[in-house]
Amino acid sequence: MKTFVMKAIGQVGFAEKPVPRPGPMDAVVKTTMALICTSDSHTVRGAIGPRENLTLGHEAVGVVHEVGAEVRSFKPGDRVVVGAITPDWGDPASQGGHSSQSGQALGGWKFANIKDGVFAEYFHVNDADANLAQIPSKVPDEAAVYCADMLSTGLMAAENADIPIGGTVAVFALGPMYGADATVDFSRQDAVAAVMQFTAGAGVDSAIEALGADITFQNAIKVTKPGGTISNAGYHGEGEFVHIPRLDWGVGMAEKTIRTGLCPGGRLRMERLLRLVERGRVAPTLLTTHRFRFDEMPKAFEMMDKKLDGIIKPLILF
Ligand code: ZN
């Protein structure tokens, strides 16, 4: 089968690989649509170290091709979405409520990290009963594919931010995912000063860091009032350290909580996200700015990497 891989740091291209086979609890999915993520670019640039001929991609929908003997809830032909994070649900970390960290730190992040990803004609899914979700008939593939990562991560950022009723929230790197009462263009004004002005000097109850840069992380801490929560959803892909501004953190005693999270996966969460899409509570396909065939992947990847032509999310059609 045809796959699109990271050959080495900074190098991508197509590679031929055998169609994977499922273990007893696993499934193999025939890919129908996928989205390229900025995380894929980070990975190719070396953010998680070197990889050799690793299939990229972690956001996909498809049709079940084959299931293992122990899989009860899915059969070949089912239209499914697979979370970007596919935890080992029997792991103690999962039992402790941290399924994204099953096995090891970030261990739920398998696709294009510790195993081949979804930019392939077929891909393997562990723990199929727990990691696949049926797509409702009213939800098209091109909308369902947003549940894999974008919707799950964006909502996680808000969930982790512990936003009180009527609370104030500052989102750094708003991106395409959120509504806002007011926006600040950081290239024209000081973001911290602007947020403090919006809140009459009090700061916000919750800040969300959605970029993965040291400066936005620091700013998120600066604008959060004592007792507030900083929710980090960004992928910090560069540098040795992320810095906490000491005084703005109340020299460690201002009760400013920093919470981190990796996109939750799993069938229950995917089903809930699909329900939001089915009921029209979110319209994710507005984010699809470009469409490519799988054989156009090199061009699509370069455009996403360099953020050309106003690209937000490129949809890949298999
Ligand atoms: Zn992603």
Side-chain angles (χ1 to χ4, degrees):
M1 65 171 185
K2 192 173 185 176
T3 70
F4 186 75
V5 304
M6 171 178 175
K7 297 186 173 206
I9 288 177
Q11 280 180 49
V12 294
F14 287 111
E16 278 293 320
K17 294 189 185 183
V19 175
R21 296 298 310 276
M25 296 172 69
D26 310 335
V28 171
V29 173
K30 185 177 199 300
T31 318
T32 50
M33 291 188 191
L35 293 163
I36 305 179
C37 182
T38 304
S39 302
D40 294 308
S41 297
H42 283 308
T43 298
V44 171
R45 288 174 186 208
I48 54 171
R51 296 289 188 279
E52 198 179 317
N53 284 329
L54 177 76
T55 305
L56 290 164
H58 54 267
E59 304 180 14
V61 291
V63 174
V64 174
H65 173 67
E66 188 178 4
V67 294
E70 302 296 324
V71 175
R72 289 162 296 167
S73 304
F74 299 90
K75 60 183 186 315
D78 287 347
R79 199 162 63 96
V80 292
V81 61
V82 186
I85 301 305
T86 49
D88 297 310
W89 290 94
D91 189 83
S94 299
Q95 294 172 31
H98 299 282
S99 57
S100 294
Q101 318 299 328
S102 59
Q104 62 184 65
L106 314 186
W109 174 22
K110 295 183 172 24
F111 290 135
N113 181 21
I114 54 178
K115 73 183 249 193
D116 279 332
V118 302
F119 293 160
E121 290 171 299
Y122 299 85
F123 62 92
H124 172 275
V125 182
N126 60 292
D127 271 6
D129 280 327
N131 285 323
L132 296 176
Q134 307 271 5
I135 301 173
S137 59
K138 279 191 222 157
V139 178
D141 284 350
E142 63 184 83
V145 70
Y146 279 94
C147 297
D149 187 355
M150 294 286 280
L151 285 173
S152 188
T153 297
L155 288 167
M156 174 205 73
E159 291 167 281
N160 282 355
D162 200 16
I163 302 163
I165 292 168
T168 48
V169 185
V171 183
F172 288 85
L174 186 70
M177 292 301 293
Y178 300 87
D181 295 314
T183 55
V184 176
D185 180 347
F186 74 92
S187 67
R188 291 169 186 240
Q189 55 185 137
D190 182 279
V192 171
V195 173
M196 295 312 283
Q197 198 180 356
F198 286 142
T199 56
V204 292
D205 295 299
S206 307
I208 293 172
E209 203 290 335
L211 183 67
D214 199 8
I215 184 69
T216 42
F217 180 75
Q218 291 183 43
N219 287 348
I221 292 167
K222 287 179 183 175
V223 302
T224 301
K225 64 171 79 158
T229 301
I230 298 98
S231 167
N232 186 91
Y235 176 160
H236 291 266
E238 284 174 10
E240 193 73 15
F241 297 98
V242 176
H243 295 93
I244 294 172
R246 186 177 60 85
L247 293 177
D248 294 294
W249 199 39
V251 296
M253 295 182 278
E255 297 173 21
K256 296 190 184 187
T257 302
I258 298 171
R259 291 193 67 186
T260 71
L262 168 65
C263 169
R267 177 174 166 186
L268 177 64
R269 188 169 179 88
M270 292 301 116
E271 287 174 351
R272 287 175 173 164
L273 295 172
L274 284 163
R275 205 168 298 141
L276 291 181
V277 177
E278 186 182 24
R279 296 300 173 112
R281 298 297 298 270
V282 286
T285 52
L286 293 169
L287 308 180
T288 306
T289 50
H290 295 69
R291 288 162 177 267
F292 298 92
R293 295 189 314 272
F294 185 41
D295 59 13
E296 297 175 300
M297 198 68 198
K299 180 181 166 199
F301 200 86
E302 187 185 0
M303 285 185 69
M304 187 62 171
D305 186 46
K306 295 179 178 161
K307 297 281 188 284
L308 304 177
D309 192 34
I311 201 164
I312 296 176
K313 275 306 230 191
L315 182 71
I316 309 300
L317 307 165
F318 285 74

